[in-house]
């Protein structure tokens, strides 16, 4: 899998399967938005991945959080190509 030049949003990216997916996508060249309701967990994962990741705090059950998160991701990384709804 080659994801160079792709932008991915990974929900639940602050731990578990989401963290693993975020790391795997970044290793394959994607820029990754690590989205989680736990801001500290998202920040840890994004920091450990490095410059190709950003942390985004959002609760996917709250419409306003989702709209804000997507706007922030587009502003920081560009238009997403991939959504992992973990």
């Amino acid at each position: 899998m080659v994801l160079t030049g792709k932008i991915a949003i990974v929900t639940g990216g602050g731990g578990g399967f989401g963290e693993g997916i975020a790391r795997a996508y970044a290793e394959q060249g994607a820029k990754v938005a690590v989205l989680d309701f736990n801001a500290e967990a998202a920040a840890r994962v994004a920091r450990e991945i490095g410059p190709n990741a950003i942390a985004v705090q959002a609760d996917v059950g709250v419409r306003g959080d989702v709209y804000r998160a997507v706007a922030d991701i587009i502003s920081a990384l560009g238009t997403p190509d991939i959504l992992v709804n973990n």
Side-chain angles (χ1 to χ4, degrees):
M1 172 171 56
V2 177
L3 299 175
T4 303
K6 301 295 183 183
I7 298 167
I9 300 172
V10 180
T11 68
F17 288 120
E19 179 176 352
I21 293 166
R23 289 179 185 281
Y25 279 28
E27 288 172 5
Q28 292 301 316
K31 293 182 181 178
V32 180
V34 180
L35 192 145
D36 204 287
F37 67 89
N38 182 329
E40 291 177 15
R44 176 190 58 80
V45 173
R47 184 175 53 252
E48 290 175 0
I49 289 173
N52 284 332
I54 63 168
V56 181
Q57 190 282 326
D59 180 340
V60 296
V62 177
R63 182 179 296 198
D65 276 12
V66 173
Y67 287 136
R68 177 195 44 80
V70 171
D72 291 349
I73 292 163
I74 291 170
S75 177
L77 300 177
T79 302
D81 301 292
I82 301 164
L83 170 63
V84 177
N85 191 20
N86 172 51

Coordinates of all heavy atoms in Angstrom, one line a residue:
M1 N 0.9 -1.2 0.0 CA 0.0 0.0 0.0 C 0.9 1.2 0.0 O 1.7 1.4 0.9 CB -0.9 -0.1 1.2 CG -1.7 1.2 1.5 SD -3.0 1.0 2.8 CE -2.0 0.5 4.2
V2 N 0.7 2.1 -1.0 CA 1.5 3.3 -1.1 C 0.5 4.5 -0.9 O -0.4 4.6 -1.7 CB 2.3 3.4 -2.4 CG1 3.0 4.8 -2.4 CG2 3.3 2.3 -2.5
L3 N 0.7 5.3 0.1 CA -0.2 6.4 0.3 C 0.4 7.8 0.2 O -0.1 8.8 0.7 CB -0.8 6.2 1.7 CG -1.7 4.9 1.9 CD1 -2.1 4.8 3.4 CD2 -2.8 4.9 1.0
T4 N 1.6 7.8 -0.4 CA 2.3 9.1 -0.6 C 1.4 10.1 -1.2 O 0.7 9.8 -2.3 CB 3.5 8.9 -1.5 OG1 4.4 7.9 -0.8 CG2 4.3 10.1 -1.6
G5 N 1.3 11.3 -0.6 CA 0.5 12.4 -1.1 C -0.9 12.3 -0.7 O -1.7 13.2 -1.1
K6 N -1.4 11.3 0.0 CA -2.7 11.2 0.5 C -2.9 11.8 1.8 O -1.9 11.9 2.6 CB -3.2 9.7 0.5 CG -3.1 9.0 -0.8 CD -4.1 9.6 -1.8 CE -4.1 8.8 -3.1 NZ -4.9 9.3 -4.1
I7 N -4.1 12.3 2.1 CA -4.4 12.8 3.4 C -5.5 12.0 4.0 O -6.5 11.8 3.4 CB -4.9 14.3 3.3 CG1 -3.7 15.1 2.7 CG2 -5.3 14.8 4.7 CD1 -4.1 16.5 2.2
A8 N -5.3 11.5 5.3 CA -6.2 10.6 5.9 C -6.7 11.2 7.3 O -5.9 11.7 8.0 CB -5.5 9.2 6.1
I9 N -7.9 11.0 7.5 CA -8.5 11.2 8.9 C -8.7 9.9 9.5 O -9.4 9.0 8.9 CB -9.8 12.0 8.8 CG1 -9.7 13.3 8.1 CG2 -10.4 12.2 10.2 CD1 -11.0 14.0 7.8
V10 N -8.2 9.7 10.7 CA -8.4 8.4 11.4 C -9.1 8.8 12.7 O -8.5 9.4 13.6 CB -7.1 7.7 11.7 CG1 -7.4 6.4 12.5 CG2 -6.4 7.4 10.4
T11 N -10.4 8.4 12.8 CA -11.1 8.7 14.1 C -10.7 7.6 15.1 O -10.3 6.5 14.7 CB -12.7 8.6 13.9 OG1 -13.1 7.3 13.5 CG2 -13.1 9.6 12.8
G12 N -10.8 8.0 16.3 CA -10.3 7.1 17.4 C -8.8 6.8 17.3 O -8.3 5.8 17.7
G13 N -8.1 7.8 16.7 CA -6.7 7.6 16.5 C -5.8 7.7 17.7 O -4.6 7.5 17.6
G14 N -6.4 8.1 18.8 CA -5.6 8.2 20.0 C -5.2 6.9 20.7 O -4.5 7.0 21.8
G15 N -5.7 5.8 20.2 CA -5.3 4.5 20.9 C -5.9 3.4 20.1 O -6.6 3.5 19.2
G16 N -5.5 2.2 20.5 CA -6.0 0.9 19.9 C -5.8 0.8 18.4 O -4.8 1.2 17.9
F17 N -6.9 0.3 17.8 CA -6.9 0.1 16.3 C -6.6 1.4 15.6 O -5.9 1.4 14.6 CB -8.1 -0.6 15.8 CG -8.3 -2.0 16.2 CD1 -9.4 -2.4 17.0 CD2 -7.4 -2.9 15.8 CE1 -9.5 -3.7 17.3 CE2 -7.5 -4.3 16.1 CZ -8.6 -4.7 16.9
G18 N -7.2 2.5 16.0 CA -7.1 3.8 15.4 C -5.6 4.2 15.4 O -5.1 4.7 14.4
E19 N -5.0 4.1 16.5 CA -3.6 4.4 16.6 C -2.7 3.6 15.6 O -1.9 4.1 14.9 CB -3.0 4.2 18.0 CG -1.6 4.6 18.2 CD -1.1 4.5 19.6 OE1 -1.9 4.3 20.6 OE2 0.2 4.6 19.8
G20 N -3.0 2.3 15.6 CA -2.3 1.4 14.7 C -2.5 1.8 13.2 O -1.5 1.8 12.4
I21 N -3.7 2.1 12.9 CA -4.0 2.5 11.5 C -3.3 3.9 11.2 O -2.7 4.0 10.1 CB -5.5 2.7 11.3 CG1 -6.2 1.3 11.4 CG2 -5.9 3.3 10.0 CD1 -7.7 1.3 11.6
A22 N -3.4 4.8 12.1 CA -2.7 6.1 11.9 C -1.2 5.9 11.6 O -0.6 6.5 10.7 CB -3.0 7.1 13.1
R23 N -0.6 5.1 12.5 CA 0.8 4.8 12.3 C 1.1 4.1 11.0 O 2.1 4.5 10.3 CB 1.3 4.0 13.5 CG 1.4 4.7 14.8 CD 1.9 3.8 15.9 NE 1.8 4.5 17.2 CZ 2.7 5.4 17.6 NH1 3.8 5.7 16.9 NH2 2.6 5.9 18.8
A24 N 0.3 3.2 10.6 CA 0.5 2.4 9.4 C 0.4 3.3 8.2 O 1.2 3.3 7.2 CB -0.4 1.2 9.3
Y25 N -0.6 4.2 8.2 CA -0.8 5.1 7.0 C 0.3 6.1 6.9 O 0.8 6.4 5.8 CB -2.2 5.8 7.2 CG -3.4 5.1 6.8 CD1 -3.4 3.7 6.8 CD2 -4.5 5.7 6.3 CE1 -4.5 3.0 6.4 CE2 -5.6 5.0 5.9 CZ -5.6 3.6 6.0 OH -6.7 2.9 5.6
A26 N 0.8 6.6 8.1 CA 1.9 7.5 8.0 C 3.2 6.8 7.5 O 3.9 7.4 6.7 CB 2.2 8.1 9.4
E27 N 3.4 5.6 7.9 CA 4.5 4.8 7.4 C 4.5 4.6 5.9 O 5.5 4.5 5.3 CB 4.6 3.5 8.1 CG 5.1 3.6 9.6 CD 5.0 2.3 10.3 OE1 4.6 1.2 9.7 OE2 5.2 2.3 11.5
Q28 N 3.3 4.6 5.4 CA 3.1 4.4 3.9 C 3.1 5.7 3.2 O 2.8 5.8 2.0 CB 1.8 3.6 3.6 CG 1.9 2.2 4.1 CD 3.1 1.4 3.4 OE1 3.3 1.5 2.2 NE2 3.8 0.7 4.2
G29 N 3.4 6.8 3.9 CA 3.5 8.1 3.2 C 2.4 9.1 3.3 O 2.4 10.2 2.8
A30 N 1.3 8.7 4.0 CA 0.1 9.6 4.1 C 0.4 10.7 5.2 O 1.1 10.5 6.2 CB -1.1 8.9 4.5
K31 N -0.2 11.8 5.0 CA -0.4 12.8 6.1 C -1.6 12.4 6.9 O -2.7 12.1 6.2 CB -0.5 14.2 5.6 CG 0.8 14.7 4.9 CD 0.6 16.1 4.4 CE 1.9 16.5 3.7 NZ 1.8 17.9 3.1
V32 N -1.5 12.4 8.2 CA -2.6 11.8 9.0 C -3.1 12.8 10.0 O -2.4 13.4 10.7 CB -2.1 10.5 9.7 CG1 -3.2 10.0 10.6 CG2 -1.6 9.5 8.7
A33 N -4.5 13.0 10.0 CA -5.1 13.7 11.1 C -5.6 12.7 12.1 O -6.4 11.8 11.8 CB -6.3 14.5 10.5
V34 N -5.0 12.7 13.3 CA -5.3 11.8 14.4 C -6.4 12.4 15.2 O -6.2 13.4 15.9 CB -4.1 11.6 15.3 CG1 -4.4 10.6 16.4 CG2 -2.9 11.0 14.5
L35 N -7.6 12.0 14.9 CA -8.8 12.5 15.5 C -9.3 11.7 16.7 O -9.4 10.5 16.5 CB -9.9 12.7 14.5 CG -11.1 13.5 14.8 CD1 -11.6 14.2 13.6 CD2 -12.2 12.6 15.4
D36 N -9.5 12.3 17.8 CA -10.0 11.6 19.0 C -10.7 12.6 19.9 O -10.3 13.7 20.0 CB -8.8 10.9 19.7 CG -9.2 9.7 20.6 OD1 -9.8 9.9 21.6 OD2 -8.9 8.6 20.1
F37 N -11.6 12.1 20.7 CA -12.3 12.9 21.7 C -11.3 13.3 22.9 O -11.4 14.3 23.5 CB -13.6 12.3 22.3 CG -13.4 11.1 23.1 CD1 -13.2 11.2 24.5 CD2 -13.4 9.8 22.5 CE1 -13.0 10.0 25.2 CE2 -13.2 8.7 23.3 CZ -13.0 8.8 24.6
N38 N -10.3 12.4 23.0 CA -9.2 12.6 24.0 C -8.1 13.4 23.4 O -7.2 12.8 22.7 CB -8.8 11.3 24.6 CG -7.7 11.5 25.7 OD1 -6.9 12.4 25.7 ND2 -7.7 10.5 26.6
A39 N -8.0 14.7 23.6 CA -7.0 15.6 23.0 C -5.6 15.1 23.4 O -4.7 15.2 22.5 CB -7.2 17.0 23.4
E40 N -5.4 14.7 24.6 CA -4.0 14.3 25.0 C -3.6 13.1 24.3 O -2.4 13.0 23.9 CB -4.0 14.1 26.5 CG -4.1 15.4 27.3 CD -4.1 15.1 28.8 OE1 -3.7 14.0 29.3 OE2 -4.5 16.1 29.5
A41 N -4.5 12.1 24.1 CA -4.1 10.9 23.4 C -3.8 11.2 21.9 O -2.8 10.7 21.4 CB -5.3 9.9 23.5
A42 N -4.6 12.0 21.3 CA -4.4 12.4 19.9 C -3.1 13.1 19.7 O -2.3 12.8 18.8 CB -5.6 13.2 19.4
A43 N -2.8 14.0 20.7 CA -1.5 14.7 20.6 C -0.3 13.8 20.8 O 0.7 14.0 20.1 CB -1.5 15.8 21.7
R44 N -0.4 12.8 21.7 CA 0.7 11.9 21.9 C 1.0 11.1 20.6 O 2.1 11.0 20.1 CB 0.4 10.9 23.0 CG 1.4 9.8 23.2 CD 1.0 8.7 24.2 NE -0.2 8.0 23.8 CZ -0.3 7.1 22.9 NH1 0.8 6.7 22.2 NH2 -1.5 6.5 22.6
V45 N -0.1 10.6 20.0 CA 0.1 9.8 18.8 C 0.7 10.6 17.6 O 1.6 10.2 17.0 CB -1.2 9.1 18.4 CG1 -1.1 8.4 17.0 CG2 -1.7 8.1 19.4
A46 N 0.1 11.8 17.4 CA 0.6 12.7 16.4 C 2.0 13.1 16.6 O 2.8 13.1 15.7 CB -0.3 13.9 16.3
R47 N 2.4 13.4 17.8 CA 3.8 13.7 18.2 C 4.7 12.6 17.9 O 5.8 12.7 17.3 CB 3.9 14.1 19.6 CG 5.2 14.6 20.1 CD 5.2 15.1 21.6 NE 4.6 14.2 22.5 CZ 3.4 14.3 23.1 NH1 2.6 15.3 22.8 NH2 3.0 13.3 23.9
E48 N 4.3 11.3 18.2 CA 5.2 10.2 18.0 C 5.3 9.8 16.5 O 6.3 9.4 16.1 CB 4.6 9.0 18.8 CG 4.8 9.1 20.3 CD 4.1 8.0 21.1 OE1 3.5 7.1 20.5 OE2 4.2 8.1 22.3
I49 N 4.2 10.1 15.7 CA 4.3 9.9 14.3 C 5.3 10.9 13.7 O 6.1 10.5 12.8 CB 2.9 10.0 13.7 CG1 2.1 8.7 14.1 CG2 3.0 10.1 12.1 CD1 0.6 8.8 13.6
G50 N 5.2 12.1 14.1 CA 6.1 13.1 13.6 C 5.4 14.2 12.7 O 4.2 14.4 12.8
P51 N 6.2 14.8 11.8 CA 5.6 16.0 11.1 C 4.5 15.7 10.1 O 3.9 16.6 9.7 CB 6.9 16.5 10.4 CG 7.8 15.4 10.3 CD 7.6 14.5 11.5
N52 N 4.3 14.5 9.8 CA 3.2 14.1 8.9 C 1.9 13.8 9.6 O 1.0 13.3 9.0 CB 3.6 13.0 8.0 CG 4.5 13.4 6.9 OD1 4.5 14.6 6.5 ND2 5.4 12.5 6.4
A53 N 1.8 14.2 10.8 CA 0.5 14.0 11.6 C 0.2 15.2 12.4 O 1.0 16.0 12.8 CB 0.7 12.8 12.5
I54 N -1.1 15.4 12.5 CA -1.7 16.5 13.4 C -2.7 15.8 14.3 O -3.3 14.8 14.0 CB -2.3 17.6 12.6 CG1 -3.5 17.2 11.8 CG2 -1.3 18.4 11.8 CD1 -4.3 18.4 11.3
A55 N -2.8 16.4 15.5 CA -3.9 15.9 16.4 C -5.1 16.8 16.3 O -4.9 18.1 16.2 CB -3.3 16.0 17.9
V56 N -6.2 16.2 16.3 CA -7.5 17.0 16.3 C -8.4 16.4 17.3 O -8.7 15.2 17.3 CB -8.1 16.9 14.9 CG1 -9.4 17.7 14.8 CG2 -7.2 17.3 13.8
Q57 N -8.9 17.3 18.2 CA -9.8 16.8 19.2 C -11.2 17.0 18.7 O -11.6 18.1 18.2 CB -9.6 17.6 20.5 CG -10.4 17.1 21.7 CD -11.9 17.5 21.7 OE1 -12.3 18.5 21.3 NE2 -12.7 16.5 22.2
A58 N -12.0 16.0 18.8 CA -13.4 16.0 18.3 C -14.2 14.8 18.8 O -13.6 13.7 18.9 CB -13.6 16.1 16.8
D59 N -15.5 15.0 19.1 CA -16.4 13.9 19.4 C -17.2 13.7 18.2 O -18.0 14.6 17.8 CB -17.2 14.3 20.6 CG -18.2 13.2 21.0 OD1 -18.5 12.3 20.2 OD2 -18.7 13.3 22.2
V60 N -17.0 12.5 17.5 CA -17.7 12.3 16.2 C -19.2 12.2 16.4 O -20.0 12.2 15.4 CB -17.2 11.1 15.5 CG1 -15.7 11.3 15.1 CG2 -17.4 9.8 16.3
G61 N -19.7 12.1 17.6 CA -21.1 12.1 17.9 C -21.7 13.5 18.0 O -22.9 13.7 18.2
V62 N -20.9 14.6 17.9 CA -21.3 16.0 18.0 C -21.1 16.6 16.6 O -19.9 16.8 16.2 CB -20.6 16.7 19.1 CG1 -21.0 18.2 19.1 CG2 -20.8 16.0 20.4
R63 N -22.1 16.9 15.9 CA -22.1 17.5 14.6 C -21.1 18.7 14.5 O -20.3 18.8 13.6 CB -23.4 17.9 14.1 CG -23.4 18.4 12.6 CD -24.8 18.7 12.2 NE -25.6 17.5 12.2 CZ -26.7 17.3 11.5 NH1 -27.2 18.3 10.8 NH2 -27.3 16.2 11.5
G64 N -21.2 19.6 15.4 CA -20.4 20.8 15.4 C -18.9 20.5 15.5 O -18.1 21.1 14.9
D65 N -18.6 19.5 16.3 CA -17.2 19.0 16.5 C -16.7 18.5 15.1 O -15.5 18.8 14.7 CB -17.1 17.9 17.5 CG -16.9 18.4 18.9 OD1 -17.2 19.6 19.2 OD2 -16.6 17.6 19.8
V66 N -17.5 17.7 14.4 CA -17.1 17.2 13.2 C -16.8 18.2 12.1 O -15.8 18.2 11.4 CB -18.1 16.1 12.7 CG1 -17.8 15.6 11.3 CG2 -18.2 15.0 13.6
Y67 N -17.8 19.2 12.0 CA -17.6 20.3 11.1 C -16.3 21.1 11.4 O -15.5 21.4 10.5 CB -18.8 21.2 11.0 CG -20.0 20.6 10.4 CD1 -21.3 20.7 10.9 CD2 -19.9 20.0 9.2 CE1 -22.4 20.2 10.3 CE2 -21.0 19.4 8.5 CZ -22.3 19.6 9.1 OH -23.4 19.0 8.5
R68 N -16.1 21.4 12.6 CA -14.9 22.2 13.0 C -13.6 21.4 12.7 O -12.7 21.9 12.2 CB -15.0 22.5 14.5 CG -13.7 23.2 15.0 CD -13.6 23.3 16.5 NE -13.9 22.0 17.2 CZ -13.0 21.0 17.3 NH1 -11.8 21.0 16.7 NH2 -13.4 19.9 17.9
A69 N -13.7 20.1 13.1 CA -12.5 19.2 12.8 C -12.1 19.2 11.4 O -11.0 19.3 11.0 CB -12.7 17.8 13.4
V70 N -13.1 18.9 10.5 CA -12.8 18.9 9.1 C -12.3 20.2 8.6 O -11.3 20.2 7.8 CB -14.1 18.4 8.3 CG1 -13.9 18.5 6.8 CG2 -14.5 17.0 8.7
A71 N -12.9 21.3 9.0 CA -12.3 22.6 8.6 C -10.9 22.8 9.0 O -10.1 23.3 8.3 CB -13.2 23.7 9.1
D72 N -10.6 22.4 10.3 CA -9.2 22.5 10.8 C -8.3 21.6 10.0 O -7.1 22.0 9.7 CB -9.2 22.1 12.3 CG -9.8 23.1 13.2 OD1 -10.2 24.2 12.7 OD2 -10.0 22.8 14.4
I73 N -8.7 20.4 9.6 CA -7.9 19.5 8.9 C -7.6 20.0 7.5 O -6.5 20.0 7.0 CB -8.5 18.1 8.9 CG1 -8.5 17.4 10.3 CG2 -7.8 17.2 7.8 CD1 -9.5 16.3 10.4
I74 N -8.6 20.5 6.8 CA -8.4 21.1 5.5 C -7.5 22.2 5.5 O -6.6 22.4 4.7 CB -9.8 21.5 4.9 CG1 -10.6 20.2 4.6 CG2 -9.6 22.3 3.6 CD1 -12.0 20.5 4.2
S75 N -7.6 23.1 6.6 CA -6.7 24.2 6.7 C -5.3 23.8 6.9 O -4.3 24.4 6.4 CB -7.2 25.1 7.9 OG -6.3 26.2 8.1
A76 N -5.1 22.8 7.7 CA -3.7 22.3 8.1 C -3.1 21.4 7.0 O -1.9 21.5 6.8 CB -3.7 21.6 9.4
L77 N -3.8 20.5 6.4 CA -3.3 19.5 5.6 C -3.8 19.5 4.1 O -3.1 19.0 3.2 CB -3.6 18.1 6.1 CG -3.0 17.8 7.5 CD1 -3.5 16.4 8.0 CD2 -1.5 17.9 7.6
G78 N -4.9 20.0 3.9 CA -5.6 20.0 2.6 C -6.8 19.1 2.6 O -7.2 18.6 3.7
T79 N -7.4 18.9 1.5 CA -8.6 18.1 1.4 C -8.3 16.6 1.6 O -7.5 16.0 1.0 CB -9.3 18.3 0.0 OG1 -9.5 19.7 -0.1 CG2 -10.6 17.5 -0.1
P80 N -9.0 16.0 2.6 CA -8.8 14.6 2.9 C -9.2 13.7 1.7 O -10.1 13.9 1.0 CB -9.7 14.3 4.1 CG -10.0 15.6 4.6 CD -10.0 16.6 3.5
D81 N -8.4 12.6 1.6 CA -8.6 11.6 0.6 C -9.2 10.3 1.2 O -9.9 9.6 0.5 CB -7.3 11.2 -0.1 CG -6.6 12.3 -0.8 OD1 -7.2 12.8 -1.8 OD2 -5.5 12.7 -0.3
I82 N -8.9 10.1 2.5 CA -9.3 8.9 3.2 C -9.9 9.2 4.5 O -9.5 10.1 5.2 CB -8.0 8.0 3.4 CG1 -7.3 7.7 2.1 CG2 -8.4 6.8 4.2 CD1 -5.9 7.2 2.3
L83 N -11.0 8.5 4.8 CA -11.6 8.6 6.1 C -11.7 7.2 6.7 O -12.3 6.3 6.1 CB -13.0 9.2 6.1 CG -13.8 9.1 7.4 CD1 -13.1 9.9 8.5 CD2 -15.2 9.5 7.2
V84 N -11.0 7.0 7.9 CA -11.1 5.7 8.6 C -12.1 6.0 9.8 O -11.7 6.7 10.7 CB -9.8 5.2 9.1 CG1 -9.9 3.9 9.9 CG2 -8.8 5.0 7.9
N85 N -13.3 5.5 9.7 CA -14.3 5.8 10.7 C -14.2 4.6 11.7 O -15.0 3.7 11.7 CB -15.7 5.9 10.1 CG -16.7 6.3 11.1 OD1 -16.4 6.9 12.1 ND2 -18.0 6.1 10.8
N86 N -13.2 4.7 12.6 CA -12.8 3.6 13.5 C -13.7 3.7 14.7 O -13.8 4.7 15.4 CB -11.3 3.8 13.9 CG -10.9 2.8 15.0 OD1 -11.2 1.7 14.9 ND2 -10.3 3.4 16.0

